């Protein structure tokens, strides 16, 4: 498809759409309602003529082809099933094979094969659509598009009204068609899970324009903009980046800590040894209680004895299970050099430094994934530098 547009009055239903689909691909269109998905599909099999642009199928100009012949070469499942009410299920399934002049025997074989595929009883072949439930009709709508064994199959939200189990088995079925039989599918869905499961490439559409065309993996890792991110949803984005999902996975686990009962002399010695200017304070069980900085020790060295006497009890910390995306901005905005990380029992487990955030920001802004360094977290690096006073966990 090249520079394809469909204009209705002032409205560009499809606006300069460009896509090169290879044989055997599984393309999923996804986008908000009215973004031009159906219009694009209908131009491919010439149920609509483009206002501008061109479409070629196997090198041949679709716009010069006989539309009726063209449609017999392309399987099509439409949004609202579209079974012929006055025809039996058998006749519905074999409409195109009949047009293609398959023998009756071959057609009957095919009908049986098809109905088996969607796990409906063979007796149903002699029923009429109204004698089937909505979900059953939809399954028939799907196999009807496959019955003629066309190489290109267009499917417009074919599984919308199906229960989850049927939906899943049909998803597996169409995926198998593509993977095993090498069929080319162009498939519209508004369900991102479906698109991610099925597609070799996803086309994201909004207001007639293609926003992003990429593999599922690429879309998840590098959504083109906020629109795509919202379409994907936060949970999937996090799942897609296992290396940077939670704070616990990017923190350094060598935070230097001390218990409140220790003397200032011991604290100073520890700072000196570990080359840090701040110690996190934990109780005997490791629960974070606060921090103590070199200034506090310096000012109070002659009047106080223990860490407990001088420590700051208010400390900003993050939970190891917090989602990084939610945490990074808070940390950066507050200007902390580093932030202690605790587990669900508020036990100190590590520290996040500004340096470790660089990787995350780099990744979020679309940095080159080959050069990321998330794995460095386990290496010995410079530990806690300074924990600024802050409000408590927020
Ligand atoms: P989608 O399938 O992504 O929900 P459509 O392709 O059906 O979107 O529609 C794209 C846009 O074109 C919408 O704004 C819709 O209102 C408009 N549209 C579709 N068909 C017609 C038509 N026959 N006349 C005028 N506008 C249309
Ligand atoms: Mg539509």
């Amino acid at each position: 498809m090249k520079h394809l547009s469909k204009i209705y009055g002032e409205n560009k239903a499809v606006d300069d759409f460009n896509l090169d689909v290879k044989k055997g691909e599984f393309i999923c269109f996804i986008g908000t309602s009215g973004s031009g998905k159906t219009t694009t599909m209908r131009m491919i099999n010439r149920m609509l003529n483009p206002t501008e642009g061109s479409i070629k199928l196997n090198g041949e100009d679709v716009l010069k082809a006989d539309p009726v012949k063209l449609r017999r070469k392309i399987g099509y499942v439409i949004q609202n099933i579209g079974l012929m009410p006055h025809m039996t299920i058998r006749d519905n399934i074999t409409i195109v094979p009949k047009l293609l002049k398959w023998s009756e025997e071959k057609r009957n074989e095919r009908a049986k094969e098809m109905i088996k595929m969607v796990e409906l009883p063979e007796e149903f072949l002699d029923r009429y659509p109204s004698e089937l439930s909505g979900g059953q009709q939809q399954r028939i709508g799907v196999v009807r598009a496959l019955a003629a064994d066309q190489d290109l199959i267009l499917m417009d939200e074919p599984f919308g009204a199906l229960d989850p189990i049927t939906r899943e088995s049909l998803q597996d079925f169409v995926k198998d068609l593509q993977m095993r039989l090498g069929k080319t599918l162009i498939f519209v869905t508004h369900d991102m899970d479906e698109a991610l499961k099925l597609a070799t490439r996803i086309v994201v559409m909004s207001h007639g324009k293609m926003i992003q065309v990429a593999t599922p993996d690429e879309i998840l890792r590098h959504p083109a903009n906020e629109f795509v991110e919202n379409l994907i949803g936060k949970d999937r984005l996090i799942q897609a980046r296992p290396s940077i999902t939670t704070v616990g996975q990017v923190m350094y686990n060598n935070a230097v800590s001390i218990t409140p009962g220790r003397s200032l002399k011991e604290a100073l010695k520890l700072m000196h040894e570990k080359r840090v200017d701040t110690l996190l304070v934990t109780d005997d069980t490791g629960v974070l209680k606060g921090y103590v900085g070199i200034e506090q020790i310096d000012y109070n060295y002659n009047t106080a004895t223990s860490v407990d006497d001088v420590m700051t009890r208010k400390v900003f910390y993050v939970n190891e299970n917090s989602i990084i995306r939610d945490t990074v901005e808070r940390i950066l905005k507050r200007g902390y050099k580093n932030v202690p990380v605790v587990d669900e029992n508020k036990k100190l487990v590590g520290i996040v430094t500004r340096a470790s955030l660089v990787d995350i920001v780099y990744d979020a802004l679309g940095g080159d994934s080959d050069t990321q360094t998330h794995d460095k977290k386990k290496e010995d690096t410079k530990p806690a530098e300074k924990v600024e006073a802050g409000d408590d966990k927020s």
Side-chain angles (χ1 to χ4, degrees):
M1 287 162 262
K2 274 213 180 101
H3 302 300
L4 204 57
S5 294
K6 181 71 185 177
I7 300 164
Y8 293 109
E10 300 280 279
N11 182 16
K12 287 191 171 173
V14 176
D15 188 0
D16 195 21
F17 187 94
N18 293 279
L19 186 66
D20 188 8
V21 181
K22 300 259 179 324
K23 187 171 164 56
E25 273 200 281
F26 200 127
I27 302 287
C28 279
F29 288 3
I30 192 163
T32 43
S33 173
S35 57
K37 305 180 296 292
T38 297
T39 305
T40 306
M41 297 281 261
R42 290 167 72 90
M43 288 193 283
I44 296 171
N45 69 1
R46 283 206 49 201
M47 292 173 84
L48 287 173
N49 281 324
T51 311
E52 279 161 30
S54 64
I55 307 174
K56 280 185 181 171
L57 182 60
N58 294 329
E60 275 176 49
D61 190 345
V62 161
L63 300 176
K64 288 187 186 130
D66 172 355
V68 176
K69 280 191 185 144
L70 177 75
R71 264 169 244 150
R72 287 179 197 166
K73 283 198 260 178
I74 303 175
Y76 188 44
V77 185
I78 51 177
Q79 227 160 342
N80 49 7
I81 312 169
L83 297 180
M84 303 289 181
H86 58 281
M87 285 164 71
T88 62
I89 297 303
R90 183 193 320 278
D91 290 343
N92 264 291
I93 291 177
T94 54
I95 289 177
V96 179
K98 194 171 177 185
L99 289 170
L100 295 173
K101 302 200 163 55
W102 291 19
S103 71
E104 191 174 343
E105 197 191 335
K106 194 175 166 195
R107 288 199 318 258
N108 280 337
E109 269 314 300
R110 192 64 175 165
K112 280 187 204 167
E113 204 182 322
M114 288 290 121
I115 200 141
K116 214 167 134 192
M117 200 115 71
V118 285
E119 286 157 356
L120 291 174
E122 231 176 88
E123 300 91 84
F124 275 33
L125 287 175
D126 296 312
R127 292 198 188 176
Y128 287 88
S130 62
E131 296 173 283
L132 271 60
S133 75
Q136 290 168 342
Q137 289 182 39
Q138 193 151 19
R139 285 190 251 175
I140 299 298
V142 172
V143 289
R144 181 183 54 179
L146 309 174
D149 207 23
Q150 294 115 328
D151 290 332
L152 174 62
I153 300 158
L154 312 178
M155 294 189 150
D156 196 344
E157 304 200 28
F159 305 150
L162 296 176
D163 63 275
I165 293 168
T166 312
R167 190 185 180 96
E168 199 153 311
S169 74
L170 279 177
Q171 285 173 345
D172 292 342
F173 172 63
V174 293
K175 189 64 189 164
D176 188 61
L177 282 177
Q178 177 248 333
M179 302 235 293
R180 210 165 46 83
L181 301 181
K183 306 268 183 206
T184 309
L185 283 106
I186 302 182
F187 188 105
V188 174
T189 179
H190 56 250
D191 175 354
M192 189 48 105
D193 283 320
E194 189 163 75
L196 292 170
K197 175 178 174 180
L198 296 176
T200 53
R201 279 192 301 159
I202 295 174
V203 177
V204 181
M205 296 195 58
S206 173
H207 299 291
K209 285 201 162 69
M210 39 198 329
I211 305 300
Q212 186 169 15
V213 182
T215 63
D217 189 58
E218 183 67 16
I219 287 246
L220 286 169
R221 286 175 176 278
H222 301 294
N225 57 23
E226 212 177 318
F227 176 78
V228 182
E229 276 189 15
N230 288 335
L231 215 55
I232 295 167
K234 201 181 202 167
D235 290 348
R236 293 194 199 85
L237 279 177
I238 289 156
Q239 280 171 11
R241 302 184 193 178
S243 59
I244 54 158
T245 56
T246 63
V247 170
Q249 287 172 304
V250 295
M251 70 188 186
Y252 297 114
N253 43 20
N254 55 359
V256 184
S257 66
I258 193 164
T259 51
R262 297 300 191 88
S263 69
L264 293 189
K265 194 177 166 194
E266 285 172 304
L268 193 57
K269 187 161 171 264
L270 183 61
M271 284 178 170
H272 180 68
E273 273 170 21
K274 300 283 185 180
R275 318 294 309 162
V276 295
D277 63 2
T278 306
L279 299 173
L280 294 166
V281 181
T282 63
D283 67 14
D284 290 334
T285 64
V287 172
L288 182 68
K289 291 295 178 185
Y291 67 93
V292 59
I294 183 66
E295 300 92 330
Q296 288 156 301
I297 293 177
D298 187 26
Y299 298 151
N300 301 296
Y301 203 71
N302 295 321
T303 54
T305 50
S306 70
V307 169
D308 196 36
D309 296 336
V310 302
M311 65 183 271
T312 302
R313 286 161 216 280
K314 232 179 171 187
V315 57
F316 178 76
Y317 59 88
V318 292
N319 189 284
E320 62 174 344
N321 296 318
S322 319
I323 301 314
I324 280 163
R325 271 179 173 270
D326 298 346
T327 312
V328 171
E329 213 188 45
R330 261 168 45 208
I331 293 176
L332 293 179
K333 260 191 195 148
R334 286 161 194 260
Y336 298 122
K337 279 195 197 156
N338 47 49
V339 173
V341 182
V342 298
D343 67 14
E344 61 275 11
N345 300 315
K346 219 191 152 185
K347 285 191 183 176
L348 181 69
V349 291
I351 193 152
V352 177
T353 66
R354 274 176 91 85
S356 59
L357 298 182
V358 171
D359 287 346
I360 300 154
V361 175
Y362 182 65
D363 191 68
L365 297 178
D368 183 352
S369 52
D370 290 331
T371 58
Q372 284 164 22
T373 52
H374 303 305
D375 295 341
K376 280 209 175 142
K377 64 177 173 165
K378 301 291 175 204
E379 285 173 21
D380 256 12
T381 49
K382 206 175 166 208
E385 285 176 7
K386 186 166 194 267
V387 178
E388 302 279 355
D391 52 2
D392 210 353
K393 185 186 170 185
S394 55

